Amino acid sequence: MDALKQELKENIIEQLNLEEFTIEDIDNDDALFGDGLGLDSIDALELIVMLDKDYGIKLTDPEKSKEIFQSINVLATYITEHRTK
């Protein structure tokens, strides 16, 4: 699962244009929103598209996405359990 966490960090930095961050800056338990990386609702939509495109996961419940996007660890666990790609 470490490879998946690394891949998620790379994808998040690239797709959300977080040029000020490196993979090493993002701890697996850091909050993705709020005080952590400071992502916003537009970024959440980008992450939802990434989950669909890269892992075949379709999120339709906004409450579920808040839960899934807590941290890299939570996101990686969800992808491992639900991916179709």
Side-chain angles (χ1 to χ4, degrees), residues 43-53 57 59 65 69:
D43 296 324
L45 292 174
E46 295 279 343
L47 291 177
I48 289 170
V49 170
M50 179 188 77
L51 286 180
D52 185 16
K53 187 179 89 181
I57 297 171
L59 292 179
S65 61
F69 297 145

Side-chain angles (χ1 to χ4, degrees), residues 1-8:
M1 185 176 314
D2 285 340
L4 176 59
K5 292 175 186 175
Q6 192 82 359
E7 178 182 304
L8 285 170

Side-chain angles (χ1 to χ4, degrees), residues 7-24:
E7 178 182 304
L8 285 170
K9 291 176 186 179
E10 291 172 0
N11 286 343
I12 287 171
I13 289 171
E14 180 181 322
Q15 293 186 23
L16 302 181
N17 295 317
L18 301 176
E19 297 166 353
E20 69 274 18
F21 288 99
T22 65
I23 293 170
E24 292 78 22

